[in-house]
Amino acid sequence: MRMNKLTVISAIASMLFLSAFVQAPAGYTEVYNDATNVNLGGRWVVADIALYADTPQTNQISLALVTDVTKFIEQTEQDLENWIATHQDRCGERWGAGDPEISFPGDSIRFVLELEYELWNCGLRGRGEPRRMAREAGRIDVTLDPYIENGKLQARLGAFSVDDREGISRYLPLEFVAQRVIDSELANLNKNRKFYRAPNPLYTEGFEYESLEAEIQTDSNVVITARYGAAGGLAKLDRVVEAIGAEGITQ
């Protein structure tokens, strides 16, 4: 669970590229395959990108993009540490978390981690010494389901549970606090155009999402496959291929 903006979803579910070792989907032909600059979450990574396209028919193009997103997952783990480090209010909320476990059941994304939440108070007008009002801790298990709506990538909460709980409070149960954060960040994420729209240069050429799939390979690497569609012919396809080679892929 990425507390800041669920960047696991933003940086995983929107890592929509084809790794060079992935076979072309049935009915698709490889049109690009090279080491490519990729920037999806504010960081540049060089990835082996391959692009597959069907034969344009009736002025329509379908593209499939897939990549090994293991490096992006590692970067996302750092996002959680950064979020925790910056949410340590002297008089207010203080968070802590263990190392996350990330898995991909079906096409969903599952996060499991030990989470700790404390609420501190500094008295009237915040002038007193900090006093801990509540402490909650537990093992958080969250499943997020990416889906496509009107050509846009979206995410919703598929499952949520808390166990191994400590310090259960009748006023601030961990379920309530964590659910509040998740709901807020999901709402912000789904309205973030850098998440819901196709990455450039696909977006600038009018491509929209058609589907999204995840797969864990035998070597434990995670591969994401996304499919896009747009009106156009071979000239548009050529522009996309040329732009990816020259400028890379960005959100």
Side-chain angles (χ1 to χ4, degrees), residues 11 15 38 40 45 67-76:
M15 291 168 198
V38 179
L40 295 174
V45 172
T67 196
D68 180 337
V69 299
T70 307
K71 290 182 180 179
F72 292 94
I73 294 175
E74 293 172 355
Q75 292 178 336
T76 302

Side-chain angles (χ1 to χ4, degrees), residues 75-86:
Q75 292 178 336
T76 302
E77 291 173 354
Q78 184 62 48
D79 291 335
L80 175 60
E81 296 180 11
N82 294 340
W83 192 93
I84 293 297
T86 57

Side-chain angles (χ1 to χ4, degrees), residues 223-244:
V223 171
I224 301 293
T225 302
R227 298 175 191 262
Y228 306 90
L234 291 176
K236 174 174 285 192
L237 181 59
D238 289 342
R239 288 197 303 270
V240 168
V241 171
E242 182 179 1
I244 290 177

Side-chain angles (χ1 to χ4, degrees), residues 163-196:
D163 55 21
D164 298 333
R165 289 176 289 185
E166 300 177 13
I168 299 175
S169 165
R170 70 178 64 180
Y171 303 109
L172 285 171
L174 189 58
E175 291 94 331
F176 171 79
V177 177
Q179 181 92 46
R180 181 195 65 192
V181 173
I182 293 170
D183 290 344
S184 174
E185 299 299 344
L186 273 176
N188 292 336
L189 183 68
N190 286 332
K191 293 185 291 186
N192 186 340
R193 60 184 181 181
K194 288 189 175 183
F195 171 71
Y196 67 68

Side-chain angles (χ1 to χ4, degrees), residues 36-38 44 200-201 241-250:
T36 304
N37 290 325
V38 179
W44 285 102
N200 285 320
V241 171
E242 182 179 1
I244 290 177
E247 303 170 11
I249 298 176
T250 62

